[in-house]
Amino acid sequence: MPRATVIGLGKSGVAAARLLKQEGWEVELSDSASADSLAKRNTSQTLLEQQQELAAEQITVKLGQSPELNGVNLPQLIVVSPGVPWDIPVLVEARQLGIETIGEIELAWRNLQSLPWVGITGTNGKTTTTALIAAIFQAAELNAPACGNIGYAACEVALSHAGRGAGGARETFDNSSLITPNSSLDWVIAEISSYQIESSVSLAPRIGVWTTFTPDHLSRHQTLENYYNIKAKLLRQSELQVFNGDDAYLSQLGLSAWPDAYWTSVKGKDFLISEKGFYIEDGWVVEKLTATSAPEPIVKVSSLRMVGEHNQQNLLMAVATARLAGINRDAIARAIREFPGVAHRLEHICTWEGVDFINDSKATNYDAAEVGLASVNSPAILIAGGEAKAGDDSGWLAQIQTKAAAVLLIGSAAPAFAKRLQEVGYHTHHIVETMERAIPKSAELAKQYQARVVLLSPACASFDQYPNFEVRGDRFRHLCLAWAEGWKPARVELPFDNSIQESIVQSR
């Protein structure tokens, strides 16, 4: 029996281990995190139940250690979860030893390559675009689950295709993300991060979509050129290519780098890079499939409930993908009218005394946070901070000076952000450290400055205070709803953190 090692005890790793076991491999699942730290991500009971289930399936689990490659019984295959860096010593050693090393999404591809894939990548915008594409395909009565970096792990989809149910979605956006029971798959709609592309070899979607490109993840990828080349690899291996023609970096490369691509532009036909593509004109998404074909209106832009020019860009790319897949206009229009948006992406939480509270926790870098702030009404009270990333903050700071009445700073980046705001002459900022302090303070400042919006758009990763941006956004949602219902802060121990933080409990 061939031996395989899976690294990473997350949803992707567990699904990969089960898929390999089903294929007849002897599987070891390892995670460098200890049982205690893994229990904090979930609950001890959940972790214990998971370990018991895997043991019953004869999958060996090893925690608190990296795989050892110094024995005689080496694995023939190593599969890596998306969050595991590609250059950690054990993976470098494995490749030197000639052990095949791939990512979880590559394993899924090898099991699902008989199906057409849509692969969506980009620095920002890919989650909304992916969810909208999945919604359109589902409205066309296609079984096309969202997976990869959102929704299901790709190997969960592969398990369902092989006749074994997927274990449940990571995030449920709407019914378009769900695998239709007892039905064969028609398409795979995959949001694919640079981490996942980096660890893939043969992944080749029918349609590749590139939403935006700005500096991000440079602590992992080192240089902008390396980051670009990783993203470009997915598009080069795609049969059809859709590009956001309004992105400054991608549009500069244009036809010289991507001569056969379909380009999009919210600015109209005159700004279309190619003679074929999709653009907005007179309030309609317009299709021009070839250099000689007549332009054809597909759907009204006003059908989309989400605000902001960036969401019109996402709309264009989603419609382009659907039309290239042969989906009719009625299904597209129906899906767009009904699309509710995506959690943690400019998600309206509640309105309290005329102030809208909006969750943009997915804005984990300066560019995304700049877009978030540009998309809301002004004046706004901005909540920002977390674990800072490298990048150019000039556009974000300029947007703060234009739109923000005040800025509340949380997390480890707060002192550095306060210093940067001072340097550009912006003085209405307050270091509040935690989300629990930020909510009541934001409400107070909203009244003081007659602000119409309180916006969480952190411009940072979440790992200093939260396991991920979803938990951070969920916390914001809970606290906002609690505040709107007349609750007050108290100190409690939060389940996702071993420190004592303020929470909100009922005062009545």
Side-chain angles (χ1 to χ4, degrees):
M1 183 182 293
R3 297 184 68 247
T5 295
V6 178
I7 302 177
L9 189 70
K11 213 172 252 295
S12 298
V14 170
R18 284 177 165 151
L19 183 59
L20 287 166
K21 189 68 181 178
Q22 183 175 278
E23 293 176 340
W25 292 75
E26 180 185 338
V27 183
E28 177 183 293
L29 180 55
S30 75
D31 199 302
S32 60
S34 66
D36 285 345
S37 59
L38 284 168
K40 288 169 191 170
R41 295 184 205 167
N42 308 285
T43 67
S44 299
Q45 183 181 11
T46 301
L47 180 63
L48 181 61
E49 288 174 354
Q50 186 179 60
Q51 286 180 285
Q52 289 171 341
E53 287 175 5
L54 292 168
E57 296 170 40
Q58 298 183 314
I59 295 172
T60 302
V61 178
K62 292 188 176 180
L63 302 180
Q65 57 184 293
S66 293
E68 294 183 2
L69 301 178
N70 51 10
V72 292
N73 199 15
L74 293 174
Q76 285 80 53
L77 177 68
I78 294 178
V79 179
V80 184
S81 294
V84 177
W86 194 232
D87 58 355
I88 58 174
V90 68
L91 296 184
V92 173
E93 183 185 0
R95 291 191 285 270
Q96 289 172 345
L97 290 169
I99 300 171
E100 186 178 20
T101 306
I102 63 172
E104 176 263 346
I105 203 160
E106 171 72 15
L107 177 64
W109 164 256
R110 293 180 182 186
N111 283 267
L112 294 170
Q113 59 185 306
S114 62
L115 296 169
W117 283 48
V118 177
I120 303 98
T121 197
T123 309
N124 299 308
K126 58 184 178 291
T127 296
T128 300
T129 303
T130 302
L132 186 50
I133 289 170
I136 294 171
F137 279 57
Q138 204 73 19
E141 299 184 352
L142 295 169
N143 191 9
C147 69
N149 203 41
I150 63 166
Y152 293 99
C155 280
E156 287 182 307
V157 177
L159 281 167
S160 78
H161 186 61
R164 177 176 178 173
R170 280 187 252 185
E171 288 181 74
T172 300
F173 303 111
D174 51 40
N175 290 335
S176 64
S177 299
L178 304 179
I179 299 176
T180 305
N182 304 317
S183 175
S184 61
L185 294 173
D186 297 307
W187 283 77
V188 177
I189 313 298
E191 178 188 324
I192 307 175
S193 70
S194 57
Y195 297 0
Q196 291 165 311
I197 300 169
E198 186 177 38
S199 60
S200 297
V201 180
S202 59
L203 175 61
R206 175 76 56 81
I207 303 171
V209 182
W210 195 336
T211 60
T212 56
F213 184 75
T214 53
D216 199 10
H217 305 304
L218 296 187
S219 59
R220 173 153 168 168
H221 300 313
Q222 306 304 318
T223 67
L224 190 65
E225 181 182 18
N226 190 38
Y227 179 44
Y228 172 84
N229 286 334
I230 290 168
K231 295 281 193 189
K233 175 182 161 185
L234 180 74
L235 276 291
R236 290 192 185 106
Q237 294 182 181
S238 299
E239 184 179 331
L240 300 169
Q241 302 153 344
V242 176
F243 280 82
N244 174 8
D246 296 322
D247 180 82
Y249 195 100
L250 297 176
S251 63
Q252 191 174 23
L253 296 171
L255 293 176
S256 60
W258 305 98
D260 298 320
Y262 291 85
W263 293 85
T264 66
S265 180
V266 300
K267 300 172 186 175
K269 183 179 179 181
D270 292 343
F271 291 85
L272 207 58
I273 289 171
S274 171
E275 291 186 328
K276 62 182 183 181
F278 293 75
Y279 56 92
I280 292 176
E281 189 170 84
D282 298 328
W284 283 81
V285 172
V286 178
E287 163 189 289
K288 195 171 188 303
L289 285 180
T290 69
T292 56
S293 63
E296 182 180 352
I298 303 299
V299 65
K300 283 187 175 181
V301 176
S302 59
S303 300
L304 185 69
R305 287 185 268 171
M306 301 172 71
V307 299
E309 183 179 276
H310 66 292
N311 278 320
Q312 293 183 8
Q313 293 168 344
N314 297 337
L315 171 65
L316 278 172
M317 289 180 285
V319 171
T321 301
R323 293 296 287 166
L324 293 175
I327 294 175
N328 65 50
R329 285 179 292 180
D330 290 343
I332 292 171
R334 185 167 64 254
I336 291 168
R337 279 196 309 270
E338 296 172 358
F339 188 68
V342 176
H344 315 296
R345 286 87 176 163
L346 290 171
E347 175 192 11
H348 182 272
I349 301 300
C350 62
T351 301
W352 170 79
E353 297 191 12
V355 180
D356 291 327
F357 286 76
I358 295 177
N359 169 23
D360 196 32
S361 182
K362 180 61 171 67
T364 59
N365 55 51
Y366 297 119
D367 298 285
E370 179 186 348
V371 168
L373 192 52
S375 300
V376 301
N377 293 322
S378 61
I381 307 299
L382 174 65
I383 301 172
E387 185 179 286
K389 292 182 177 181
D392 180 2
D393 63 2
S394 57
W396 177 63
L397 291 169
Q399 195 66 236
I400 286 174
Q401 291 173 298
T402 302
K403 299 283 291 270
V407 179
L408 300 177
L409 300 171
I410 63 173
S412 61
F417 278 9
K419 183 179 178 184
R420 286 292 291 132
L421 289 167
Q422 287 285 135
E423 288 170 355
V424 298
Y426 186 94
H427 304 291
T428 319
H429 55 80
H430 309 265
I431 294 179
V432 293
E433 297 180 341
T434 67
M435 196 80 74
E436 288 70 26
R437 294 183 187 134
I439 301 307
K441 185 66 174 177
S442 69
E444 173 194 326
L445 292 172
K447 288 297 183 185
Q448 179 181 338
Y449 292 104
Q450 296 185 311
R452 302 166 66 184
V453 170
V454 169
L455 172 68
L456 170 67
S457 194
C460 284
S462 57
F463 305 121
D464 58 332
Q465 293 180 314
Y466 301 95
N468 51 52
F469 74 82
E470 292 97 338
V471 173
R472 176 172 63 190
D474 289 342
R475 190 69 187 147
F476 175 79
R477 184 190 299 109
H478 168 76
L479 293 169
C480 290
L481 293 173
W483 178 265
E485 300 227 353
W487 298 6
K488 69 179 184 181
R491 290 179 69 78
V492 298
E493 188 168 351
L494 301 180
F496 55 80
D497 194 302
N498 60 1
S499 65
I500 303 294
Q501 293 191 23
E502 287 177 287
S503 185
I504 287 187
V505 296
Q506 194 167 10
S507 62
R508 296 186 286 273

